[in-house]
């Protein structure tokens, strides 16, 4: 027996110790490699240690082939890869779809996620899901993309509501509005959507009309679920003809009311007092965020004296307020606010400037004197900007002047300047965000969609520009109002997936 043989027992002990040693070396080597990978290093095919970054790549639909510098990778979307520091071209392909591609610069220790690529079918198929009895007064989609509501000119007391929860087979209902809620009129110039409430059920609209030879306007609060619950806000709040209305904190019973003549901004409520009573004087333009943040332009900041030819931009958050910037007087002021990654971002400017100013947590800035103003952290150049907006996920800031775009990426601190070549169709003033990473507009009767950095542009399907384009919550279908000469307009569905 081996355990009685001293020589064999020594040999077994040596083998056992050697095995433990090899295991320890393997563990140490693995730990060392993991530590280096975590710190941005990886082992190349030649056995050398290089600085690397981790790149995650996803797509819709998933399962797309990943090409890096035209070399097919072993993984498909959704997957990840370690890449040595450098610049690469990533291309995604799948049968029946257009490729998606972009250049990616990787640095050691980077972790980059490209979870937004959307692959469009090469051959788009559209079909009519509803015929409208006349042109639409408005077509609007709820913020969660589930509901599309259509109001027809010929049937002003009716709303058609489409449920896109099953985007392949959307359902629809017609609801009736009380005739008493809509003022009688000789003609209607427009009926526009102001905004949706946060519950995705109520829609604040503005109706401009002529009655007894006089032009008038009224604000109606519609309920897509119960037509009889519609309310005439103008009548119930006894608003003056010059007063404009927006929702306070996206609530269906709370309102900001702005008088275009007296320049007074105040809060009002249906059936009670608003949670925060507000009355600001000499407001020339404003933008609100949730229930306690207002960014506004005034010619008399915080009780100071007016200075001819100049205005001030003021940020008020709860009980805190501060002047952010003095600007020359202009015809249009650009304001927007958003939160991204737990930080406040404020954008301000005017059409008389050469760009817009961007601020990061401006009310937290440490100032040497009480009269000082916080410094912007970035100036986004664009001559005579006409509009500014954050993307749906607030990662990107769009500044535009017609087809000229400046886009800033808050995550990677990158700026993109470009000019679109396909012109806007009439009735469109700007490109709009399709989601968190893409923009759309309509040119030559077709939807144009492209990434925030002007890459991966595709011309999709027909759409009437005055109504825009809408997407299902899963982005597997899009919807638009279309019309063929001599026929009634239709609500059309287009599949964005290949069967």
């Amino acid at each position: 027996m081996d355990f009685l043989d001293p020589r064999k027992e020594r040999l077994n002990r040596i083998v056992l110790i050697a095995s433990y040693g090899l295991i320890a070396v393997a563990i140490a080597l693995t730990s060392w490699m993991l530590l280096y990978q975590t710190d941005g290093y990886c082992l190349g095919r030649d056995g050398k240690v290089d600085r690397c970054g981790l790149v995650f790549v996803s797509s819709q639909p998933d399962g797309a082939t990943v090409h890096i510098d035209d070399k097919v990778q072993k993984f498909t979307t959704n997957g990840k890869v370690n890449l040595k520091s450098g610049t690469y071209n990533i291309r995604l392909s799948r049968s029946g779809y257009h490729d998606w591609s972009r250049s990616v610069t990787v640095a050691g220790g980077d972790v980059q996620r490209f979870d937004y690529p959307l692959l469009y079918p090469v051959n788009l198929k559209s079909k009519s899901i509803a015929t409208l009895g006349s042109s639409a007064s408005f077509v609007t989609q709820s913020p969660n993309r589930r509901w599309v509501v259509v109001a027809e000119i010929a049937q002003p007391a009716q709303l058609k509501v489409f449920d896109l929860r099953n985007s392949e087979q959307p359902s629809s209902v017609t609801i009736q509005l009380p005739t008493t809620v809509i003022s009688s009129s000789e003609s209607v110039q427009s009926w526009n959507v102001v905004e949706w409430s946060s519950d995705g059920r109520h829609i604040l609209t503005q109706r401009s009309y002529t009655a007894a030879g006089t032009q008038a306007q009224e604000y109606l609060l519609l309920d897509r679920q119960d037509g009889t619950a519609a309310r005439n806000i103008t009548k119930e709040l006894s608003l003056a003809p010059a007063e404009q209305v927006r929702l306070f904190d996206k609530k269906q019973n709370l309102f900001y009311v702005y008088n275009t003549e007296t320049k007074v901004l105040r809060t009002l409520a249906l059936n009670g007092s608003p949670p925060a009573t507000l009355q600001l004087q000499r407001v020339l333009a404003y933008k609100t965020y949730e229930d306690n943040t207002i960014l506004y332009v005034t010619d008399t900041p915080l009780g100071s004296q007016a200075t001819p030819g100049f205005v001030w931009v003021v940020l008020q958050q709860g009980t805190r307020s501060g002047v952010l910037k003095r600007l020359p007087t202009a015809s249009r002021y650009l304001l927007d606010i958003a939160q991204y990654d737990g930080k406040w971002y404020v954008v301000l400017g005017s059409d008389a400037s050469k760009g817009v100013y961007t601020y990061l947590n401006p009310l937290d800035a440490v100032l040497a004197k009480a009269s000082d103003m916080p410094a912007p952290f970035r100036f986004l150049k664009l001559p005579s900007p006409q509009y500014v907006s954050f993307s749906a996920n607030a990662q990107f800031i769009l500044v535009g002047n017609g087809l000229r775009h400046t886009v800033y990426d808050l995550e990677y601190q990158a700026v993109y300047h470009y000019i679109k070549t396909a012109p806007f169709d009439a009735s469109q003033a700007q490109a709009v965000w399709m989601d968190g990473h893409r923009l759309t507009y309509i040119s030559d009767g077709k939807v144009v969609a492209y990434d925030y950095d002007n890459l991966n542009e595709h011309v999709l399907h027909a759409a009437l520009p005055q109504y825009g384009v809408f997407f299902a919550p899963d982005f597997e279908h899009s919807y638009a109002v279309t019309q063929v000469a001599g026929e009634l307009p239709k609500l059309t569905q287009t599949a964005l997936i290949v069967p």
Side-chain angles (χ1 to χ4, degrees):
M1 290 182 288
D2 290 349
F3 67 89
L4 296 178
D5 188 336
R7 187 176 61 83
K8 289 184 177 181
E9 184 180 357
R10 272 195 312 273
L11 183 60
N12 288 337
R13 189 179 299 112
I14 292 172
V15 170
L16 185 61
I17 292 172
S19 299
Y20 283 143
L22 289 174
I23 292 173
V25 170
I27 292 174
L29 182 60
T30 302
S31 300
W32 176 80
M33 292 179 65
L34 290 173
L35 179 62
Y36 267 71
Q37 284 186 0
T38 302
D39 201 32
Y41 292 88
C42 60
L43 193 64
R45 293 181 178 179
D46 55 3
K48 295 182 179 179
V49 175
D50 294 298
R51 290 285 288 175
C52 290
L54 185 61
V55 178
F56 292 84
V57 185
S58 302
S59 69
Q60 181 175 324
D62 60 10
T65 300
V66 179
H67 309 254
I68 298 180
D69 289 342
D70 291 328
K71 295 180 181 179
V72 176
Q73 303 300 298
K74 294 181 180 179
F75 71 99
T76 60
T77 59
N78 304 319
K80 61 183 178 179
V81 61
N82 268 312
L83 295 175
K84 293 192 296 184
S85 297
T87 300
Y88 302 85
N89 181 265
I90 295 181
R91 179 167 60 90
L92 311 181
S93 66
R94 181 168 168 157
S95 177
Y97 293 87
H98 290 288
D99 288 356
W100 180 96
S101 65
R102 67 159 293 155
S103 176
V104 176
T105 299
V106 178
D110 267 0
V111 177
Q112 298 190 47
R113 297 179 182 274
F114 296 92
D115 53 3
Y116 66 90
L118 178 61
L119 306 183
Y120 298 97
V122 174
N123 298 310
L124 292 169
K125 295 182 179 180
S126 302
K127 66 178 182 179
S128 171
I129 61 172
T131 299
L132 307 183
S134 64
S135 296
S137 301
F138 65 79
V139 183
T140 182
Q141 186 176 33
S142 62
N144 64 2
R145 301 187 182 276
R146 177 173 172 179
W147 310 95
V148 170
V149 178
V150 181
E152 297 181 23
I153 293 176
Q155 299 289 339
Q158 284 187 357
L159 298 177
K160 290 185 177 179
V161 182
F162 296 85
D163 185 352
L164 308 184
R165 179 172 55 179
N166 180 353
S167 64
E168 191 167 349
Q169 296 292 334
S171 59
S172 66
V173 296
T174 299
I175 63 174
Q176 192 76 27
L177 304 178
T179 55
T180 55
V181 80
I182 302 177
S183 298
S184 59
S185 60
E186 298 154 7
S187 65
V188 176
Q189 284 77 45
S190 64
W191 192 358
N192 303 312
V193 172
V194 178
E195 60 185 323
W196 282 72
S197 62
S198 57
D199 62 7
R201 175 173 171 175
H202 299 87
I203 312 166
L204 180 64
T205 65
Q206 179 193 37
R207 180 174 177 265
S208 300
Y209 62 96
T210 302
T214 302
Q215 290 189 350
Q217 68 173 10
E218 60 186 356
Y219 288 86
L220 306 175
L221 187 67
L222 309 179
D223 186 332
R224 60 149 183 85
Q225 184 172 311
D226 180 5
T228 63
R231 306 179 73 168
N232 190 312
I233 304 303
T234 297
K235 290 181 179 179
E236 293 194 43
L237 295 180
S238 301
L239 299 180
E243 289 187 307
Q244 300 174 344
V245 179
R246 293 193 68 88
L247 297 179
F248 178 94
D249 195 23
K250 303 292 184 182
K251 299 294 192 301
Q252 71 272 15
N253 63 332
L254 304 173
F255 306 95
Y256 286 103
V257 177
Y258 176 66
N259 193 308
T260 58
E261 294 179 351
T262 65
K263 308 302 181 186
V264 173
L265 176 65
R266 58 188 177 133
T267 53
L268 292 176
L270 292 173
N271 307 324
S273 300
T277 302
L278 172 78
Q279 185 156 311
L280 295 175
Q281 307 292 329
R282 301 301 305 161
V283 174
L284 307 180
Y286 73 97
K287 179 75 175 183
T288 65
Y289 188 92
E290 294 183 345
D291 63 352
N292 70 344
T293 299
I294 303 174
L295 181 67
Y296 65 96
V297 178
T298 180
D299 55 9
T300 54
L302 305 180
S304 300
Q305 295 296 317
T307 302
F310 291 95
V311 296
W312 285 260
V313 183
V314 180
L315 177 63
Q316 179 173 312
Q317 289 185 296
T319 59
R320 299 197 303 166
S321 62
V323 177
L324 303 190
K325 188 73 178 176
R326 188 179 80 161
L327 296 173
T329 302
S331 59
R332 175 182 297 179
Y333 301 101
L334 310 178
L335 306 171
D336 210 350
I337 321 165
Q339 278 190 297
Y340 181 71
D341 195 25
K343 302 172 184 176
W344 285 100
Y345 290 92
V346 174
V347 183
L348 61 91
S350 76
D351 59 358
S353 63
K354 297 181 180 180
V356 299
Y357 301 90
T358 305
Y359 294 79
L360 170 61
N361 294 328
L363 293 187
D364 294 333
V366 178
L367 306 177
K369 298 181 297 183
S371 59
D372 289 347
M373 291 177 282
F377 86 98
R378 186 170 290 275
F379 181 73
L380 303 178
K381 295 181 180 179
L382 186 71
S384 302
Q386 300 297 309
Y387 53 90
V388 62
S389 63
F390 284 87
S391 60
N393 60 2
Q395 181 179 342
F396 303 96
I397 301 170
L398 166 68
V399 187
N401 179 352
L403 298 173
R404 299 176 66 90
H405 290 47
T406 294
V407 175
Y408 180 62
D409 183 347
L410 295 173
E411 178 73 20
Y412 295 104
Q413 300 181 17
V415 182
Y416 304 90
H417 301 281
Y418 52 90
I419 302 175
K420 302 303 296 179
T421 56
F424 294 145
D425 282 354
S427 78
Q428 296 174 105
Q430 64 186 72
V432 297
W433 287 102
M434 169 179 163
D435 54 18
H437 291 82
R438 275 165 287 271
L439 293 146
T440 65
Y441 65 92
I442 297 170
S443 180
D444 195 24
K446 297 288 185 69
V447 176
V448 178
Y450 53 100
D451 293 349
Y452 63 91
D453 49 8
N454 200 31
L455 298 177
N456 302 295
E457 178 183 302
H458 295 284
V459 178
L460 303 183
H461 52 77
L464 293 179
Q466 61 267 40
Y467 306 118
V469 60
F470 310 98
F471 295 88
D474 56 11
F475 283 91
E476 292 187 354
H477 296 85
S478 61
Y479 301 85
V481 177
T482 61
Q483 188 170 17
V484 176
E487 297 182 6
L488 292 171
K490 294 178 171 57
L491 183 63
T492 303
Q493 177 196 71
T494 302
L496 299 181
I497 55 173
V498 176

